Amino acid sequence: MISRRYRMSKKVVKLDLRRSIKANVRYGGIIFKLHYKQKRIQKPKIVLICDVSGSMSRYAAFVIQFIYGLSAVIKNIESFIFAEELEHVSLFFNDRQPFEDTMVKLIGKSRIWGKGTNMGNALFSLREQYPLLLTSNTVVIIVSDTKTLEIEYTEEELIKLKRSVKDILWLNTLPQDEWDDLPSVQKFKRYSQMYECYTLAHLERVIRKQFLY
């Protein structure tokens, strides 16, 4: 997920032939001054959207722990939770309170925790209310079991989101052997990289594959 582009450098890493020739035109083509370039690591922006609806209740601690841990290692991550609606929750994780305190505070203040799921509404709200977060350098991470009302509407919103961002990673909390039985999984994985993810071991494998190669 981390792309690499070249930037100008005084270090001798890789000869920038085009700039070297351009800089030495006045010398009749004789190369007196060399220009070099080195690789610049361009990290994507991360937008995290976690399902906290009733069907995800058994994964509540896992979801919050995931947001908590990711916020600790990735700067400027924007975090949201959703059920019937979308809530922006980044502020709960920015002040780095103990995990247990953060979990109690977030669940206690959320208006949507444990309610029904309308992912289409959540994705629509994300596009309409936070368009500046969705760029060609944004990776959206969705944590959800894919179970939602209005599957077709959600699919439409997912297509629109896909067009606006660099990539969508979907961490599916359902065991992979159940995926074939759910139309929502079959539809949504067309527009995302979908991974089985309901344990910290699963999460570690995804993070290593997507962010640490």
Side-chain angles (χ1 to χ4, degrees), residues 95-160:
D95 56 5
R96 304 309 302 161
Q97 294 294 314
F99 171 72
E100 293 79 7
D101 294 346
T102 301
M103 183 171 180
V104 170
K105 187 183 299 184
L106 177 56
I107 295 177
K109 292 191 175 182
S110 174
R111 297 176 292 101
I112 62 171
W113 198 280
K115 293 189 176 181
T117 316
N118 195 319
M119 192 181 302
N121 280 348
L123 296 181
F124 174 80
S125 296
L126 181 68
R127 289 193 308 102
E128 291 295 311
Q129 298 177 24
Y130 303 92
L132 297 181
L133 297 181
L134 308 178
T135 72
S136 59
N137 192 42
T138 299
V139 174
V140 175
I141 302 176
I142 300 175
V143 182
S144 173
D145 58 8
T146 78
K147 296 178 181 178
T148 181
L149 299 173
E150 300 186 89
I151 292 177
E152 288 74 18
Y153 174 43
T154 300
E155 183 180 20
E156 292 173 4
E157 285 299 322
L158 196 60
I159 292 172
K160 294 175 183 177

Side-chain angles (χ1 to χ4, degrees), residues 47-199:
V47 173
L48 178 62
I49 313 173
C50 293
D51 186 345
V52 296
S53 62
S55 67
M56 289 282 292
S57 60
R58 58 178 169 167
Y59 301 111
F62 172 74
V63 167
I64 298 180
Q65 189 172 13
F66 176 46
I67 304 175
Y68 188 89
L70 204 59
S71 299
V73 298
I74 299 180
K75 293 182 179 180
N76 301 320
I77 185 172
E78 295 289 345
S79 301
F80 298 84
I81 59 175
F82 74 91
E84 296 173 341
E85 300 175 0
L86 185 75
E87 288 183 352
H88 187 212
V89 296
S90 295
L91 291 178
F92 287 94
F93 302 94
N94 290 343
D95 56 5
R96 304 309 302 161
Q97 294 294 314
F99 171 72
E100 293 79 7
D101 294 346
T102 301
M103 183 171 180
V104 170
K105 187 183 299 184
L106 177 56
I107 295 177
K109 292 191 175 182
S110 174
R111 297 176 292 101
I112 62 171
W113 198 280
K115 293 189 176 181
T117 316
N118 195 319
M119 192 181 302
N121 280 348
L123 296 181
F124 174 80
S125 296
L126 181 68
R127 289 193 308 102
E128 291 295 311
Q129 298 177 24
Y130 303 92
L132 297 181
L133 297 181
L134 308 178
T135 72
S136 59
N137 192 42
T138 299
V139 174
V140 175
I141 302 176
I142 300 175
V143 182
S144 173
D145 58 8
T146 78
K147 296 178 181 178
T148 181
L149 299 173
E150 300 186 89
I151 292 177
E152 288 74 18
Y153 174 43
T154 300
E155 183 180 20
E156 292 173 4
E157 285 299 322
L158 196 60
I159 292 172
K160 294 175 183 177
L161 178 63
K162 178 72 172 179
R163 292 171 181 162
S164 302
V165 300
K166 181 177 182 178
D167 205 357
I168 299 175
L169 303 184
W170 196 303
L171 308 187
N172 193 335
T173 54
L174 289 176
Q176 193 164 355
D177 58 12
E178 298 180 18
W179 290 10
D180 290 342
D181 299 326
L182 286 176
S184 56
V185 172
Q186 303 311 311
K187 286 181 179 292
F188 300 161
K189 72 179 183 179
R190 298 172 188 168
Y191 314 105
S192 63
Q193 297 186 58
M194 188 173 288
Y195 299 95
E196 179 185 47
C197 190
Y198 55 87
T199 68

